[in-house]
Amino acid sequence: VSPADWQKSIATNLSANWQLIRCFDALLKLSDAPRALFVTSGVTQRPAPYWGAYAASKAGLEAMVQLYAAENAQSALRVNLVDPG
């Protein structure tokens, strides 16, 4: 995979979601029923040749979202990952 393709996958699937968390966390916590929903992929569980950058970015997303959920477990915020298949 080219460095440009690697960076694009990380920017789209990991960094953009981190930025959304960073920007909306305070607003979510003001809500009566805050929800954060993130889209992942089965490629993290079933690696496929030539999908390395995408799989790594989605695996990173899953780890980040699981940590975000754990950090907010005692709040009203509910954080979910969806794999649409």
Short mmCIF file of all heavy atoms in Angstrom, two decimals, residues 31-55:
data_model
loop_
_atom_site.label_atom_id
_atom_site.label_comp_id
_atom_site.label_asym_id
_atom_site.label_seq_id
_atom_site.Cartn_x
_atom_site.Cartn_y
_atom_site.Cartn_z
N SER A 31 -26.94 16.40 26.51
CA SER A 31 -28.19 15.79 26.06
C SER A 31 -28.81 14.90 27.14
O SER A 31 -28.12 14.34 27.98
CB SER A 31 -27.93 14.96 24.81
OG SER A 31 -29.08 14.26 24.42
N ASP A 32 -30.14 14.75 27.08
CA ASP A 32 -30.84 13.85 28.00
C ASP A 32 -30.61 12.39 27.65
O ASP A 32 -30.66 11.52 28.52
CB ASP A 32 -32.34 14.14 27.99
CG ASP A 32 -32.66 15.50 28.57
OD1 ASP A 32 -31.89 16.01 29.41
OD2 ASP A 32 -33.70 16.07 28.17
N ALA A 33 -30.40 12.10 26.37
CA ALA A 33 -30.21 10.72 25.92
C ALA A 33 -29.12 10.70 24.84
O ALA A 33 -29.40 10.42 23.67
CB ALA A 33 -31.51 10.15 25.38
N PRO A 34 -27.88 10.97 25.23
CA PRO A 34 -26.81 11.05 24.23
C PRO A 34 -26.43 9.70 23.65
O PRO A 34 -26.35 8.70 24.36
CB PRO A 34 -25.65 11.66 25.02
CG PRO A 34 -25.90 11.24 26.43
CD PRO A 34 -27.40 11.21 26.59
N ARG A 35 -26.21 9.70 22.35
CA ARG A 35 -25.80 8.49 21.64
C ARG A 35 -24.69 8.83 20.66
O ARG A 35 -24.74 9.86 19.99
CB ARG A 35 -26.96 7.87 20.86
CG ARG A 35 -28.19 7.51 21.70
CD ARG A 35 -27.88 6.37 22.65
NE ARG A 35 -29.05 5.94 23.40
CZ ARG A 35 -29.34 6.33 24.63
NH1 ARG A 35 -28.55 7.19 25.24
NH2 ARG A 35 -30.39 5.88 25.26
N ALA A 36 -23.72 7.95 20.56
CA ALA A 36 -22.66 8.08 19.56
C ALA A 36 -22.57 6.75 18.83
O ALA A 36 -22.40 5.70 19.45
CB ALA A 36 -21.33 8.42 20.23
N LEU A 37 -22.69 6.79 17.52
CA LEU A 37 -22.72 5.59 16.70
C LEU A 37 -21.59 5.66 15.68
O LEU A 37 -21.42 6.67 14.99
CB LEU A 37 -24.07 5.51 15.97
CG LEU A 37 -24.35 4.30 15.14
CD1 LEU A 37 -24.43 3.06 16.00
CD2 LEU A 37 -25.67 4.49 14.39
N PHE A 38 -20.83 4.57 15.58
CA PHE A 38 -19.68 4.50 14.68
C PHE A 38 -19.81 3.26 13.80
O PHE A 38 -20.31 2.23 14.24
CB PHE A 38 -18.38 4.43 15.48
CG PHE A 38 -18.18 5.64 16.35
CD1 PHE A 38 -18.70 5.69 17.63
CD2 PHE A 38 -17.46 6.72 15.88
CE1 PHE A 38 -18.53 6.80 18.44
CE2 PHE A 38 -17.28 7.84 16.68
CZ PHE A 38 -17.82 7.88 17.97
N VAL A 39 -19.35 3.36 12.57
CA VAL A 39 -19.46 2.26 11.60
C VAL A 39 -18.10 1.58 11.45
O VAL A 39 -17.09 2.22 11.15
CB VAL A 39 -19.96 2.78 10.24
CG1 VAL A 39 -20.07 1.62 9.25
CG2 VAL A 39 -21.31 3.47 10.39
N THR A 40 -18.09 0.27 11.66
CA THR A 40 -16.88 -0.52 11.53
C THR A 40 -17.05 -1.52 10.39
O THR A 40 -17.97 -1.40 9.58
CB THR A 40 -16.52 -1.21 12.86
OG1 THR A 40 -15.22 -1.80 12.73
CG2 THR A 40 -17.53 -2.25 13.28
N SER A 41 -16.19 -2.51 10.35
CA SER A 41 -16.20 -3.48 9.25
C SER A 41 -15.75 -4.84 9.76
O SER A 41 -14.91 -4.93 10.65
CB SER A 41 -15.26 -3.01 8.15
OG SER A 41 -15.06 -4.02 7.19
N GLY A 42 -16.28 -5.88 9.15
CA GLY A 42 -15.88 -7.23 9.49
C GLY A 42 -14.45 -7.57 9.11
O GLY A 42 -13.91 -8.59 9.54
N VAL A 43 -13.82 -6.70 8.32
CA VAL A 43 -12.44 -6.96 7.90
C VAL A 43 -11.49 -6.98 9.10
O VAL A 43 -10.42 -7.57 9.02
CB VAL A 43 -11.98 -5.95 6.83
CG1 VAL A 43 -11.71 -4.58 7.42
CG2 VAL A 43 -10.78 -6.47 6.07
N THR A 44 -11.90 -6.40 10.22
CA THR A 44 -11.05 -6.46 11.42
C THR A 44 -11.02 -7.87 12.00
O THR A 44 -10.06 -8.24 12.67
CB THR A 44 -11.53 -5.48 12.50
OG1 THR A 44 -12.85 -5.83 12.92
CG2 THR A 44 -11.51 -4.05 11.99
N GLN A 45 -12.05 -8.65 11.75
CA GLN A 45 -12.12 -10.02 12.25
C GLN A 45 -11.72 -11.05 11.20
O GLN A 45 -11.32 -12.16 11.53
CB GLN A 45 -13.55 -10.34 12.72
CG GLN A 45 -14.06 -9.40 13.79
CD GLN A 45 -13.19 -9.40 15.03
OE1 GLN A 45 -12.81 -10.46 15.52
NE2 GLN A 45 -12.86 -8.22 15.54
N ARG A 46 -11.86 -10.67 9.95
CA ARG A 46 -11.53 -11.57 8.84
C ARG A 46 -10.60 -10.83 7.87
O ARG A 46 -11.04 -10.35 6.83
CB ARG A 46 -12.82 -11.98 8.11
CG ARG A 46 -13.77 -12.79 8.98
CD ARG A 46 -15.08 -13.08 8.27
NE ARG A 46 -15.81 -11.90 7.79
CZ ARG A 46 -16.56 -11.10 8.54
NH1 ARG A 46 -16.68 -11.32 9.82
NH2 ARG A 46 -17.20 -10.07 8.02
N PRO A 47 -9.31 -10.75 8.21
CA PRO A 47 -8.38 -10.00 7.36
C PRO A 47 -8.37 -10.51 5.92
O PRO A 47 -8.49 -11.71 5.67
CB PRO A 47 -7.03 -10.25 8.03
CG PRO A 47 -7.35 -10.63 9.43
CD PRO A 47 -8.67 -11.34 9.37
N ALA A 48 -8.27 -9.58 5.01
CA ALA A 48 -8.24 -9.92 3.59
C ALA A 48 -6.98 -9.32 2.95
O ALA A 48 -6.59 -8.21 3.29
CB ALA A 48 -9.49 -9.36 2.90
N PRO A 49 -6.36 -10.07 2.05
CA PRO A 49 -5.17 -9.53 1.37
C PRO A 49 -5.47 -8.18 0.71
O PRO A 49 -6.55 -7.97 0.17
CB PRO A 49 -4.85 -10.59 0.32
CG PRO A 49 -5.47 -11.84 0.84
CD PRO A 49 -6.70 -11.40 1.58
N TYR A 50 -4.50 -7.29 0.80
CA TYR A 50 -4.54 -5.97 0.18
C TYR A 50 -5.51 -4.99 0.85
O TYR A 50 -5.73 -3.91 0.34
CB TYR A 50 -4.85 -6.07 -1.33
CG TYR A 50 -3.96 -7.06 -2.01
CD1 TYR A 50 -4.45 -8.27 -2.45
CD2 TYR A 50 -2.60 -6.79 -2.19
CE1 TYR A 50 -3.62 -9.20 -3.06
CE2 TYR A 50 -1.76 -7.71 -2.80
CZ TYR A 50 -2.29 -8.91 -3.23
OH TYR A 50 -1.46 -9.83 -3.82
N TRP A 51 -6.07 -5.38 1.98
CA TRP A 51 -6.97 -4.50 2.73
C TRP A 51 -6.31 -4.01 4.01
O TRP A 51 -6.97 -3.57 4.94
CB TRP A 51 -8.26 -5.25 3.07
CG TRP A 51 -9.19 -5.40 1.91
CD1 TRP A 51 -8.99 -6.17 0.80
CD2 TRP A 51 -10.43 -4.76 1.73
NE1 TRP A 51 -10.05 -6.05 -0.05
CE2 TRP A 51 -10.97 -5.19 0.51
CE3 TRP A 51 -11.18 -3.88 2.50
CZ2 TRP A 51 -12.19 -4.75 0.02
CZ3 TRP A 51 -12.40 -3.46 2.02
CH2 TRP A 51 -12.89 -3.89 0.79
N GLY A 52 -4.98 -4.06 4.07
CA GLY A 52 -4.24 -3.75 5.29
C GLY A 52 -4.51 -2.38 5.88
O GLY A 52 -4.76 -2.25 7.07
N ALA A 53 -4.46 -1.34 5.07
CA ALA A 53 -4.67 0.02 5.58
C ALA A 53 -6.09 0.19 6.10
O ALA A 53 -6.30 0.74 7.18
CB ALA A 53 -4.38 1.04 4.48
N TYR A 54 -7.05 -0.31 5.34
CA TYR A 54 -8.45 -0.21 5.76
C TYR A 54 -8.69 -1.00 7.04
O TYR A 54 -9.31 -0.50 7.99
CB TYR A 54 -9.35 -0.72 4.63
CG TYR A 54 -10.82 -0.63 4.95
CD1 TYR A 54 -11.48 0.59 4.89
CD2 TYR A 54 -11.55 -1.77 5.28
CE1 TYR A 54 -12.84 0.67 5.16
CE2 TYR A 54 -12.90 -1.70 5.55
CZ TYR A 54 -13.55 -0.49 5.49
OH TYR A 54 -14.89 -0.41 5.76
N ALA A 55 -8.19 -2.23 7.08
CA ALA A 55 -8.36 -3.08 8.27
C ALA A 55 -7.70 -2.45 9.49
O ALA A 55 -8.28 -2.44 10.59
CB ALA A 55 -7.81 -4.48 8.01
#
